[in-house]
Amino acid sequence: MNKSYKVKVNTTTEIDITNNDVSALDTIEVSSSKFHILQNNTPFKAEIIEGDFNNKTYKVKVNNNTYSVLIQNDLDELITKMGFEVGATKQINDIKAPMPGLILDINVTVGQEVKEDEPLLILEAMKMENVFTSPRDGIIKSISVSKGDAVDKNDLLIEFE
């Protein structure tokens, strides 16, 4: 199977590289980050200066020229096209009622700092208690409901700063 990768160099040049392309290089590892590469009888000295494995970004020096490199495989490209990004921060700024119900309890106050997954409030709907947890770390900007309030679908419950 011949996997392909899209390599973006200095955020301007895109190159498609396959496993066969990489296998065709004559490469000798000089040290853990330095390599001697021979491609079509042309020698190159390469060094990985910085690497961020999670973001698949690298700073590579080839023959005394430094390049910023981003490497993406087919899955990375699909995730980007769909609008999802690995490690993207959550930007949810409010919580709305997903259904009509009754506010049974509120566990936070305005100005309180909350952590992700911390319980915020309990909404009773269809004889079930639904605990709403914080979608992200943040500070409570406003609480639009009180204990005992009846709410409709899409009513604003809590807003984050």
PDB file of all heavy atoms in Angstrom, residues 46-61:
ATOM      1  N   ALA A  46      20.714  17.271   6.188  1.00  0.00           N
ATOM      2  CA  ALA A  46      19.435  17.661   6.781  1.00  0.00           C
ATOM      3  C   ALA A  46      19.488  17.516   8.292  1.00  0.00           C
ATOM      4  O   ALA A  46      20.144  16.611   8.822  1.00  0.00           O
ATOM      5  CB  ALA A  46      18.312  16.802   6.210  1.00  0.00           C
ATOM      6  N   GLU A  47      18.813  18.440   8.969  1.00  0.00           N
ATOM      7  CA  GLU A  47      18.753  18.401  10.431  1.00  0.00           C
ATOM      8  C   GLU A  47      17.358  18.814  10.875  1.00  0.00           C
ATOM      9  O   GLU A  47      16.816  19.808  10.387  1.00  0.00           O
ATOM     10  CB  GLU A  47      19.792  19.355  11.022  1.00  0.00           C
ATOM     11  CG  GLU A  47      19.780  19.404  12.528  1.00  0.00           C
ATOM     12  CD  GLU A  47      20.815  20.364  13.101  1.00  0.00           C
ATOM     13  OE1 GLU A  47      21.513  21.049  12.332  1.00  0.00           O
ATOM     14  OE2 GLU A  47      20.898  20.439  14.331  1.00  0.00           O
ATOM     15  N   ILE A  48      16.787  18.061  11.791  1.00  0.00           N
ATOM     16  CA  ILE A  48      15.501  18.438  12.392  1.00  0.00           C
ATOM     17  C   ILE A  48      15.827  19.326  13.588  1.00  0.00           C
ATOM     18  O   ILE A  48      16.386  18.863  14.583  1.00  0.00           O
ATOM     19  CB  ILE A  48      14.694  17.204  12.816  1.00  0.00           C
ATOM     20  CG1 ILE A  48      14.421  16.319  11.595  1.00  0.00           C
ATOM     21  CG2 ILE A  48      13.392  17.628  13.498  1.00  0.00           C
ATOM     22  CD1 ILE A  48      13.809  14.976  11.927  1.00  0.00           C
ATOM     23  N   ILE A  49      15.499  20.606  13.482  1.00  0.00           N
ATOM     24  CA  ILE A  49      15.832  21.576  14.529  1.00  0.00           C
ATOM     25  C   ILE A  49      14.779  21.563  15.628  1.00  0.00           C
ATOM     26  O   ILE A  49      15.097  21.569  16.815  1.00  0.00           O
ATOM     27  CB  ILE A  49      15.969  22.997  13.928  1.00  0.00           C
ATOM     28  CG1 ILE A  49      17.107  23.006  12.907  1.00  0.00           C
ATOM     29  CG2 ILE A  49      16.209  24.018  15.014  1.00  0.00           C
ATOM     30  CD1 ILE A  49      17.179  24.274  12.099  1.00  0.00           C
ATOM     31  N   GLU A  50      13.495  21.576  15.243  1.00  0.00           N
ATOM     32  CA  GLU A  50      12.376  21.548  16.188  1.00  0.00           C
ATOM     33  C   GLU A  50      11.323  20.603  15.649  1.00  0.00           C
ATOM     34  O   GLU A  50      11.171  20.455  14.442  1.00  0.00           O
ATOM     35  CB  GLU A  50      11.730  22.933  16.345  1.00  0.00           C
ATOM     36  CG  GLU A  50      12.564  23.978  17.002  1.00  0.00           C
ATOM     37  CD  GLU A  50      11.853  25.332  17.032  1.00  0.00           C
ATOM     38  OE1 GLU A  50      10.616  25.381  16.881  1.00  0.00           O
ATOM     39  OE2 GLU A  50      12.552  26.341  17.193  1.00  0.00           O
ATOM     40  N   GLY A  51      10.570  20.011  16.560  1.00  0.00           N
ATOM     41  CA  GLY A  51       9.478  19.147  16.129  1.00  0.00           C
ATOM     42  C   GLY A  51       8.339  19.167  17.122  1.00  0.00           C
ATOM     43  O   GLY A  51       8.558  19.114  18.325  1.00  0.00           O
ATOM     44  N   ASP A  52       7.124  19.310  16.617  1.00  0.00           N
ATOM     45  CA  ASP A  52       5.914  19.219  17.426  1.00  0.00           C
ATOM     46  C   ASP A  52       5.097  18.071  16.855  1.00  0.00           C
ATOM     47  O   ASP A  52       4.346  18.245  15.893  1.00  0.00           O
ATOM     48  CB  ASP A  52       5.135  20.533  17.375  1.00  0.00           C
ATOM     49  CG  ASP A  52       3.892  20.528  18.258  1.00  0.00           C
ATOM     50  OD1 ASP A  52       3.487  19.450  18.740  1.00  0.00           O
ATOM     51  OD2 ASP A  52       3.326  21.622  18.456  1.00  0.00           O
ATOM     52  N   PHE A  53       5.282  16.888  17.437  1.00  0.00           N
ATOM     53  CA  PHE A  53       4.669  15.672  16.906  1.00  0.00           C
ATOM     54  C   PHE A  53       3.144  15.767  16.885  1.00  0.00           C
ATOM     55  O   PHE A  53       2.510  15.344  15.929  1.00  0.00           O
ATOM     56  CB  PHE A  53       5.117  14.464  17.732  1.00  0.00           C
ATOM     57  CG  PHE A  53       4.553  13.172  17.253  1.00  0.00           C
ATOM     58  CD1 PHE A  53       5.064  12.557  16.127  1.00  0.00           C
ATOM     59  CD2 PHE A  53       3.487  12.567  17.910  1.00  0.00           C
ATOM     60  CE1 PHE A  53       4.543  11.357  15.661  1.00  0.00           C
ATOM     61  CE2 PHE A  53       2.955  11.375  17.460  1.00  0.00           C
ATOM     62  CZ  PHE A  53       3.481  10.766  16.340  1.00  0.00           C
ATOM     63  N   ASN A  54       2.534  16.344  17.935  1.00  0.00           N
ATOM     64  CA  ASN A  54       1.068  16.425  18.003  1.00  0.00           C
ATOM     65  C   ASN A  54       0.485  17.278  16.889  1.00  0.00           C
ATOM     66  O   ASN A  54      -0.569  16.969  16.345  1.00  0.00           O
ATOM     67  CB  ASN A  54       0.605  16.948  19.360  1.00  0.00           C
ATOM     68  CG  ASN A  54       0.845  15.948  20.467  1.00  0.00           C
ATOM     69  OD1 ASN A  54       0.873  14.741  20.235  1.00  0.00           O
ATOM     70  ND2 ASN A  54       1.036  16.439  21.683  1.00  0.00           N
ATOM     71  N   ASN A  55       1.149  18.369  16.558  1.00  0.00           N
ATOM     72  CA  ASN A  55       0.657  19.256  15.498  1.00  0.00           C
ATOM     73  C   ASN A  55       1.276  18.931  14.148  1.00  0.00           C
ATOM     74  O   ASN A  55       0.955  19.574  13.149  1.00  0.00           O
ATOM     75  CB  ASN A  55       0.926  20.715  15.853  1.00  0.00           C
ATOM     76  CG  ASN A  55       0.079  21.156  17.019  1.00  0.00           C
ATOM     77  OD1 ASN A  55      -1.094  20.834  17.098  1.00  0.00           O
ATOM     78  ND2 ASN A  55       0.684  21.885  17.941  1.00  0.00           N
ATOM     79  N   LYS A  56       2.198  17.972  14.124  1.00  0.00           N
ATOM     80  CA  LYS A  56       2.870  17.519  12.903  1.00  0.00           C
ATOM     81  C   LYS A  56       3.588  18.661  12.194  1.00  0.00           C
ATOM     82  O   LYS A  56       3.569  18.768  10.974  1.00  0.00           O
ATOM     83  CB  LYS A  56       1.893  16.810  11.974  1.00  0.00           C
ATOM     84  CG  LYS A  56       1.285  15.575  12.620  1.00  0.00           C
ATOM     85  CD  LYS A  56       0.333  14.878  11.717  1.00  0.00           C
ATOM     86  CE  LYS A  56      -0.239  13.671  12.452  1.00  0.00           C
ATOM     87  NZ  LYS A  56      -1.136  12.904  11.635  1.00  0.00           N
ATOM     88  N   THR A  57       4.205  19.539  12.991  1.00  0.00           N
ATOM     89  CA  THR A  57       4.987  20.636  12.434  1.00  0.00           C
ATOM     90  C   THR A  57       6.448  20.464  12.832  1.00  0.00           C
ATOM     91  O   THR A  57       6.748  20.029  13.940  1.00  0.00           O
ATOM     92  CB  THR A  57       4.481  22.008  12.929  1.00  0.00           C
ATOM     93  OG1 THR A  57       4.516  22.037  14.348  1.00  0.00           O
ATOM     94  CG2 THR A  57       3.070  22.290  12.437  1.00  0.00           C
ATOM     95  N   TYR A  58       7.321  20.821  11.914  1.00  0.00           N
ATOM     96  CA  TYR A  58       8.746  20.647  12.137  1.00  0.00           C
ATOM     97  C   TYR A  58       9.501  21.826  11.544  1.00  0.00           C
ATOM     98  O   TYR A  58       9.055  22.450  10.591  1.00  0.00           O
ATOM     99  CB  TYR A  58       9.233  19.346  11.471  1.00  0.00           C
ATOM    100  CG  TYR A  58       8.498  18.131  11.980  1.00  0.00           C
ATOM    101  CD1 TYR A  58       7.324  17.706  11.377  1.00  0.00           C
ATOM    102  CD2 TYR A  58       8.959  17.442  13.086  1.00  0.00           C
ATOM    103  CE1 TYR A  58       6.626  16.616  11.854  1.00  0.00           C
ATOM    104  CE2 TYR A  58       8.269  16.338  13.581  1.00  0.00           C
ATOM    105  CZ  TYR A  58       7.105  15.933  12.957  1.00  0.00           C
ATOM    106  OH  TYR A  58       6.415  14.859  13.445  1.00  0.00           O
ATOM    107  N   LYS A  59      10.655  22.118  12.123  1.00  0.00           N
ATOM    108  CA  LYS A  59      11.578  23.087  11.543  1.00  0.00           C
ATOM    109  C   LYS A  59      12.780  22.259  11.104  1.00  0.00           C
ATOM    110  O   LYS A  59      13.418  21.598  11.919  1.00  0.00           O
ATOM    111  CB  LYS A  59      11.971  24.148  12.564  1.00  0.00           C
ATOM    112  CG  LYS A  59      12.682  25.322  11.940  1.00  0.00           C
ATOM    113  CD  LYS A  59      12.772  26.490  12.881  1.00  0.00           C
ATOM    114  CE  LYS A  59      11.423  27.181  12.859  1.00  0.00           C
ATOM    115  NZ  LYS A  59      11.428  28.464  13.513  1.00  0.00           N
ATOM    116  N   VAL A  60      13.061  22.278   9.799  1.00  0.00           N
ATOM    117  CA  VAL A  60      14.082  21.430   9.214  1.00  0.00           C
ATOM    118  C   VAL A  60      15.117  22.300   8.507  1.00  0.00           C
ATOM    119  O   VAL A  60      14.770  23.231   7.772  1.00  0.00           O
ATOM    120  CB  VAL A  60      13.447  20.442   8.202  1.00  0.00           C
ATOM    121  CG1 VAL A  60      14.500  19.543   7.597  1.00  0.00           C
ATOM    122  CG2 VAL A  60      12.366  19.613   8.870  1.00  0.00           C
ATOM    123  N   LYS A  61      16.382  21.969   8.726  1.00  0.00           N
ATOM    124  CA  LYS A  61      17.472  22.680   8.064  1.00  0.00           C
ATOM    125  C   LYS A  61      18.043  21.753   7.001  1.00  0.00           C
ATOM    126  O   LYS A  61      18.457  20.627   7.298  1.00  0.00           O
ATOM    127  CB  LYS A  61      18.540  23.035   9.095  1.00  0.00           C
ATOM    128  CG  LYS A  61      19.636  23.926   8.620  1.00  0.00           C
ATOM    129  CD  LYS A  61      20.517  24.271   9.814  1.00  0.00           C
ATOM    130  CE  LYS A  61      21.609  25.235   9.458  1.00  0.00           C
ATOM    131  NZ  LYS A  61      22.427  25.539  10.649  1.00  0.00           N
TER     132      LYS A  61
END
